[in-house]
Amino acid sequence: MPEMDGFQVIKAIRTRERSSGGHLPVIAVTGRARELDRERCLASGVDDFISKPIAADDLWAAIERIHPPGEASTLSYAARASTACGIDAS
């Protein structure tokens, strides 16, 4: 990302959430696969972490860890993302 790295983006999202409420689930996707990289991502505020190359099973498992099947959701993920980024989705 030219203007912000992933750590800056998640910090901005989590800061906005503190004032606006809600929670946007975020899965970090990176080419770095060391345990230290995973810990750094999770400490930054992401909900889960997967490394490249992405296997479909790993992606679905991460999605299910942060949003279990059948869990009620009042907002779509697109609406949550827009809200978290300060975009009026209406």
Side-chain angles (χ1 to χ4, degrees), residues 3-53:
E3 297 174 21
M4 299 172 85
D5 68 22
F7 294 106
Q8 293 167 319
V9 170
I10 192 64
K11 181 179 179 182
I13 289 171
R14 297 302 183 231
T15 298
R16 182 172 292 274
E17 287 175 346
R18 283 193 288 280
S19 63
S20 66
H23 179 78
L24 176 68
V26 175
I27 299 171
V29 179
T30 180
R32 300 175 184 262
R34 298 176 306 166
E35 184 62 24
L36 181 61
D37 298 313
R38 180 181 186 283
E39 291 170 5
R40 181 175 180 218
C41 286
L42 294 173
S44 74
V46 301
D47 297 288
D48 211 326
F49 170 96
I50 57 176
S51 60
K52 298 175 188 175

